Amino acid sequence: MSEPRRMRDQPRWQAAALIPLVVGLAWLIFGWSHGLVVAVLATLAGVPLLGCATAIAFWPGDRQITQYLAVGAVASIFLAVVLWPWLGLVSLGLIVGGSVCFLAAGWVATRESVRPRAVPEPPLSLGVCRKVATDEALLGMFVAGARIPRGAVVKRDFDELSALHDLAESGHWSADRRSWHRTPAPPRDVRLTPSKAQGCRFDWLHFDSGFEADTALPGAARWQAHRPNQRMAARIFRHEGEPRPWLICIHGYRMGINELDLSLFRAKRLHLKFGMNVAMPILPLHGARRIARVTGGHFLDGPMADLVHAQAQGLWDLRRLKAWIGAEQPDQPIGALGYSLGGYHAALLAAFEADLACVIAGIPLTDIPAALWAHMPTLHLRYLEAQGLSQAQLSALMAPVSPLHLTPVVPYERRYIFAATADRLVDPEQPLRLWRHWGEPAMHWYHGSHLSVRREAELLPFVEDALDRHGLIVTRSGAAR
């Protein structure tokens, strides 16, 4: 059952619509007084702002309105900088106007959001609005650039999910969800290659994934054909000499690259200041394992049946990495920390690896179908549902690879969750549901968004206290704290 929810109010008219309206008109007025080239660029900046202003005023509530307003505001700031030689001080006013539009996108999104009553109410402050607008801008770019399946592709999804439903009904894979997942052995064909990035020295660990998609499930052959994905990769930060505790850091969606992962996890701090060994695995279809131009392509936006294979292989690879660590340094505590999609996989690990020292699920995605349906363009959502595809159907079929449908085996006192009260990418209800499912363990809410997690200083004590409590933090000499 869904959590009881609340909304601040139900505005009939949004006064905030006046902000992009005024700024959009200013772009057109000043731009069209400076020649054709400037006029065209000014139109590209002003018209989207005017469109969003109209939508906020007359058709409030659609989530994509604030997403495109945030994207349009960022684009207008960039164009104002480009046109400075022609517009002079007017550009400064347009930069300020774009910044205010950006904050307005966050303000409207925060005000219109509906969240569970058990989640603390985020303040309508400038700081929170800026954080929310950043989430909105990223969502706008994701949605605008997403592949929109139609026709034969949607029919394929419907046919494959129908076949998956029949298999589930027969008990082939859903009757005993845990037994469907095989236990991997430690890899033997391991290759370690020294590397350096972002001021960090580490080794790249590579080995054959060894994952084999269940051939009875639809899409298995297609999934196995992704050759780059069949080679597992992980960054390894290891101290020389005596064994140390290990932390497995699991990245989020569209990550798996050095520029994002190393700063998100503060890898150097974990490795050098706290003296632990760190393993940073690459999830399927991300980073060096990608099969698309962009990291993470086809993981959440590929064939719907592949969602099962993706999560199953992610779990397999993480368990195999943990088995390698255990074989290399027996009896050392191993913890897991994941963000977003990584939080999903950390929670999956908690259902299979009882000896983990601790599991920390950060801003965790826990219900992939719910997230897809929340962010899908409204018209496309209607199209999918008219073809017979539904969120409830997909959620039920993904139960064997869902942390909300698998019982955790990691002891209660070793489970931790943190989440954002104003998260726009992952509905706060998702980490709240995991918290309920896990028996309400230690939980920390911060007043911020999904992307602001990197800069939330208050999270450090929560995470570091959990690591310290379970023996993962050591002194530089190696003596446990």
Side-chain angles (χ1 to χ4, degrees):
M1 180 181 296
S2 296
E3 291 280 343
R5 300 171 75 84
R6 66 165 178 256
M7 182 176 175
R8 276 189 167 85
D9 54 16
Q10 187 179 5
R12 176 64 182 89
W13 303 104
Q14 286 276 25
L18 293 174
I19 296 173
L21 176 66
V22 170
V23 178
L25 287 173
W27 266 104
L28 297 182
I29 292 170
F30 290 109
W32 278 89
S33 63
H34 286 80
L36 183 60
V37 174
V38 175
V40 170
L41 293 177
T43 300
L44 292 176
V47 168
L49 297 179
L50 289 173
C52 291
T54 304
I56 290 172
F58 295 104
W59 307 289
D62 190 308
R63 293 191 60 168
Q64 285 190 269
I65 298 172
T66 49
Q67 294 170 13
Y68 286 129
L69 176 57
V71 172
V74 173
S76 73
I77 294 171
F78 171 77
L79 288 172
V81 173
V82 170
L83 295 176
W84 186 284
W86 292 271
L87 298 179
L89 289 178
V90 170
S91 283
L92 179 59
L94 294 173
I95 291 172
V96 173
S99 301
V100 177
C101 286
F102 186 76
L103 292 173
W107 190 86
V108 173
T110 305
R111 188 178 180 215
E112 291 181 348
S113 65
V114 180
R115 61 180 47 80
R117 292 185 179 275
V119 175
E121 189 83 63
L124 267 173
S125 64
L126 288 179
V128 168
C129 291
R130 175 181 53 81
K131 295 172 184 179
V132 169
T134 305
D135 272 14
E136 292 289 282
L138 181 68
L139 276 172
M141 291 187 289
F142 275 177
V143 173
R147 298 181 307 107
I148 301 297
R150 53 176 59 86
V153 175
V154 175
K155 183 180 185 304
R156 176 207 61 201
D157 283 343
F158 176 79
D159 291 342
E160 290 186 349
L161 292 183
S162 295
L164 198 58
H165 173 76
D166 292 341
L167 286 168
E169 287 290 300
S170 69
H172 170 76
W173 74 309
S174 62
D176 186 352
R177 295 161 183 161
R178 288 181 54 82
S179 65
W180 182 71
H181 297 274
R182 296 175 295 121
T183 300
R188 296 181 179 178
D189 61 327
V190 170
R191 180 165 55 90
L192 286 163
T193 307
S195 186
K196 181 180 179 181
Q198 306 292 302
C200 299
R201 295 184 180 276
F202 55 90
D203 290 324
W204 273 111
L205 170 70
H206 293 275
F207 57 82
D208 285 335
S209 167
F211 174 78
E212 296 179 2
D214 187 341
T215 56
L217 303 188
R222 176 180 60 232
W223 184 261
Q224 291 296 133
H226 299 324
R227 301 313 305 168
N229 189 49
Q230 298 311 314
R231 189 74 175 164
M232 174 59 175
R235 304 178 197 85
I236 300 297
F237 298 77
R238 182 161 52 175
H239 291 272
E240 297 296 331
E242 64 184 61
R244 302 283 186 100
W246 286 79
L247 181 64
I248 300 175
C249 297
I250 313 167
H251 66 77
Y253 180 55
R254 297 291 192 190
M255 297 184 66
I257 57 179
N258 292 332
E259 294 77 6
L260 298 177
D261 299 2
L262 297 178
S263 61
L264 173 63
F265 289 101
R266 296 177 172 87
K268 185 182 291 187
R269 177 186 177 92
L270 292 172
H271 179 54
L272 298 180
K273 180 176 180 179
F274 296 142
M276 66 183 72
N277 295 328
V278 178
M280 303 180 68
I282 306 299
L283 290 175
L285 304 188
H286 286 77
R289 308 176 67 183
R290 67 182 183 272
I291 60 171
R293 181 176 56 86
V294 180
T295 178
H298 299 284
F299 193 98
L300 296 181
D301 60 348
M304 288 190 179
D306 284 4
L307 288 169
V308 174
H309 304 305
Q311 318 314 318
Q313 182 168 8
L315 173 62
W316 167 277
D317 289 342
L318 292 172
R319 297 181 72 191
R320 199 160 197 221
L321 172 64
K322 178 178 175 290
W324 175 79
I325 294 172
E328 286 286 301
Q329 296 189 351
D331 303 323
Q332 287 299 308
I334 303 172
L337 166 64
Y339 286 76
S340 192
L341 180 62
Y344 186 105
H345 284 85
L348 283 180
L349 268 182
F352 290 89
E353 300 293 330
D355 61 344
L356 283 169
C358 66
V359 175
I360 308 172
I363 48 174
L365 177 68
T366 60
D367 188 338
I368 290 175
L372 294 177
W373 254 249
H375 300 313
M376 209 175 294
T378 304
L379 189 59
H380 180 55
L381 185 59
R382 290 179 188 168
Y383 177 77
L384 289 184
E385 292 182 340
Q387 307 307 309
L389 298 174
S390 71
Q391 174 188 331
Q393 174 195 23
L394 185 57
S395 292
L397 295 176
M398 288 191 65
V401 289
S402 167
L404 296 178
H405 292 84
L406 293 165
T407 302
V409 294
V410 171
Y412 168 85
E413 64 276 5
R414 300 182 196 170
R415 308 172 202 158
Y416 299 84
I417 304 172
F418 63 82
T421 60
D423 198 325
R424 300 295 288 175
L425 276 74
V426 174
D427 190 312
E429 182 176 11
Q430 296 213 16
L432 184 65
R433 288 174 63 192
L434 181 65
W435 181 66
R436 303 279 197 215
H437 180 64
W438 274 8
E440 304 185 359
M443 174 99 182
H444 180 78
W445 290 99
Y446 66 91
H447 289 316
S449 67
H450 202 77
L451 294 183
S452 76
V453 69
R454 296 171 182 266
R455 298 176 298 279
E456 301 290 348
E458 67 183 83
L459 287 179
L460 289 178
F462 178 79
V463 173
E464 292 168 6
D465 179 66
L467 298 177
D468 195 13
R469 185 177 302 158
H470 300 289
L472 295 181
I473 293 181
V474 297
T475 63
R476 292 185 181 276
S477 64
R481 275 186 165 181

